[in-house]
Amino acid sequence: MALLEVTDLHTSFFTDAGEVKAVNGVSFALERGKTLGIVGESGSGKSVTAYSIMQILASTGKIVSGSIKLDGQELVGAGEKAMRDVRGNKISIIFQDPMTSLNPTYTIGHQLIEAITLHTNRNKQEAWDRAVEMLRLVGINEPEKRMKQYPHEHSGGMRQRIMIAMALACEPDILIADEPTTALDVTIQAQILELMQKLQEEMGMAIIMITHDLGVVAQMCDEIVVMYAGSYCERGTAEEIFYNPRHEYTKGLLRSIPTMDTMGQKLQPITGTPIDLLNLPAGCPFAPRCDNAMKICIRQAPESMVINDDHKASCWMNVKDLFEAQQAEATPEPKATPEPKAPLAPEDVVDEIFAQEVAAAERGAAQEGGEA
């Protein structure tokens, strides 16, 4: 059994303008100790999927249908009391901007201790010791001193480390990292990612990495879910997604990032803009921006197609490729006609006649010998 299993999840926001279908039929499974990457451009539903798992949606948001199972326990409809036991204890989250996640009016120590006492049975002294231990674990020097300081007294990288310490203080089974390195420079980003991998190995937790940076998922993730317009268009192992993409949106994402092979060349961005989630089309949501869109792409949404055991994609191009391959197998190959021999030169004609006469004489001699 997978540690976390999300099946056909639908989440909507009900506004004055209508129902915004932010998540439409997302499904995936997360194994213990593994890292799942969820990628896609802004507005694709990545963060809403995470907030649906944690059930920390805004007041207008609601899980319309679907299933979220943690160790076999159904979370959809579980109630706020049951979710309090899940949040922090079993699933923790790191938000995108640590400055807005930390309360500027309270010390770091106060906020860490509050998180620990809320989700565990530790008293204040035990929570203090645990908070100091976690700050030291995430690489913060003089943790006792930092406990008495406020968020504004720390750099962006330090605040992100503090958020990681807070998220891991209760030793959760799953860590959701929602764009954890977006606001950080490249050096600090590398340090944070390395820290997360180290802590994952030490604590054995699973990670859901939400990002738009394909470089991050290539480095961190075992499996990748590519989302567009609230639904997943492709999912598979990192190797399959990067070396055998089977959805036009995934191919567009890969073309839009610089590589060693495209040095000095113009990048190829995905043209157009994302669709309006208030008015989803009948067909493939990516069709208006797809260079290879067909008539059926406009009329009917594609089903998820199994490429292999580690790869699925929802794209009509895969159906077209499969049909063409089947047609090629069913059509017998035409028999090869022997190529006509080139005409012999006059001298070659003489040689050919002489060779035939010699061969005939040898056959005759062989027959006479046999009769004798």
Side-chain angles (χ1 to χ4, degrees):
M1 182 185 297
L3 175 61
L4 178 69
E5 201 166 358
V6 178
T7 307
D8 197 24
L9 179 65
H10 291 257
T11 301
S12 295
F13 291 90
F14 296 88
T15 67
D16 294 338
E19 180 184 356
V20 179
K21 298 178 180 179
V23 177
N24 299 292
V26 170
S27 300
F28 60 81
L30 178 64
E31 304 291 337
R32 294 182 184 275
K34 299 293 185 179
T35 301
L36 172 73
I38 302 180
V39 301
E41 60 193 359
S42 298
S44 59
K46 306 184 302 296
S47 295
V48 177
T49 300
Y51 300 162
S52 299
I53 295 171
M54 297 285 290
Q55 296 192 30
I56 52 174
L57 297 165
S59 58
T60 57
K62 180 183 177 182
I63 297 176
V64 178
S65 63
S67 171
I68 303 171
K69 289 184 178 180
L70 176 65
D71 256 346
Q73 174 190 356
E74 182 60 64
L75 300 184
V76 176
E80 184 59 27
K81 183 179 179 181
M83 287 307 301
R84 280 200 203 101
D85 294 334
V86 171
R87 299 186 199 113
N89 272 338
K90 297 181 179 179
I91 307 177
S92 288
I93 187 168
I94 305 171
F95 294 101
Q96 183 170 345
D97 187 356
M99 196 61 202
T100 58
S101 304
L102 294 168
N103 192 321
T105 63
Y106 290 101
T107 63
I108 297 300
H110 180 279
Q111 297 180 65
L112 281 167
I113 290 171
E114 182 183 37
I116 295 169
T117 54
L118 181 64
H119 298 294
T120 68
N121 296 323
R122 290 183 171 93
N123 58 37
K124 283 193 174 182
Q125 183 57 51
E126 292 171 338
W128 171 279
D129 295 338
R130 176 63 175 169
V132 170
E133 177 189 353
M134 289 306 301
L135 290 178
R136 186 175 289 112
L137 184 64
V138 297
I140 293 181
N141 297 325
E142 300 179 295
E144 293 86 354
K145 176 183 176 182
R146 302 295 183 183
M147 289 279 286
K148 300 175 184 178
Q149 294 179 335
Y150 290 85
H152 71 270
E153 297 179 77
H154 300 78
S155 66
M158 293 279 280
R159 289 195 294 267
Q160 194 64 286
R161 288 172 183 268
I162 291 167
M163 285 300 301
I164 294 174
M166 187 180 296
L168 300 182
C170 302
E171 300 182 10
D173 296 325
I174 300 173
L175 174 66
I176 300 176
D178 185 11
E179 303 273 11
T181 59
T182 297
L184 307 177
D185 62 59
V186 177
T187 305
I188 302 301
Q189 172 178 304
Q191 293 176 1
I192 294 296
L193 295 177
E194 184 179 354
L195 170 64
M196 291 177 65
Q197 287 179 312
K198 177 185 175 184
L199 294 175
Q200 181 181 30
E201 292 175 2
E202 293 178 358
M203 304 176 71
M205 64 184 176
I207 295 177
I208 297 177
M209 177 70 68
I210 298 172
T211 181
H212 61 270
D213 190 336
L214 291 174
V216 171
V217 296
Q219 176 183 346
M220 293 279 294
C221 301
D222 302 295
E223 189 175 3
I224 299 171
V225 173
V226 182
M227 289 189 66
Y228 183 79
S231 60
Y232 84 86
C233 55
E234 188 166 5
R235 64 174 179 171
T237 61
E239 183 177 359
E240 285 287 331
I241 296 296
F242 278 93
Y243 296 105
N244 185 30
R246 299 299 292 270
H247 194 284
E248 295 302 303
Y249 178 61
T250 309
K251 295 175 184 178
L253 289 178
L254 294 172
R255 283 195 301 266
S256 65
I257 58 175
T259 64
M260 293 298 292
D261 296 332
T262 58
M263 289 283 287
Q265 300 177 19
K266 288 186 177 180
L267 296 179
Q268 301 179 40
I270 300 174
T271 58
T273 57
I275 63 170
D276 183 4
L277 295 178
L278 278 167
N279 300 294
L280 290 173
C284 174
F286 186 63
R289 306 173 67 184
C290 180
D291 294 333
N292 296 316
M294 301 174 288
K295 289 182 179 179
I296 194 172
C297 301
I298 305 297
R299 295 196 304 263
Q300 184 180 345
E303 297 291 332
S304 178
M305 179 177 173
V306 176
I307 309 301
N308 56 49
D309 292 341
D310 300 320
H311 198 176
K312 291 183 179 181
S314 304
C315 183
W316 284 115
M317 289 296 293
N318 296 311
V319 180
K320 177 175 176 286
D321 293 343
L322 178 62
F323 175 77
E324 290 177 349
Q326 291 174 342
Q327 287 293 101
E329 290 178 2
T331 305
E333 294 184 4
K335 293 183 179 179
T337 56
E339 295 183 3
K341 294 183 178 180
L344 297 174
E347 61 272 16
D348 294 332
V349 172
V350 175
D351 292 341
E352 182 74 15
I353 294 172
F354 178 77
Q356 291 176 0
E357 291 178 351
V358 171
E362 289 176 348
R363 284 196 299 272
Q367 289 177 356
E368 291 177 0
E371 292 174 357

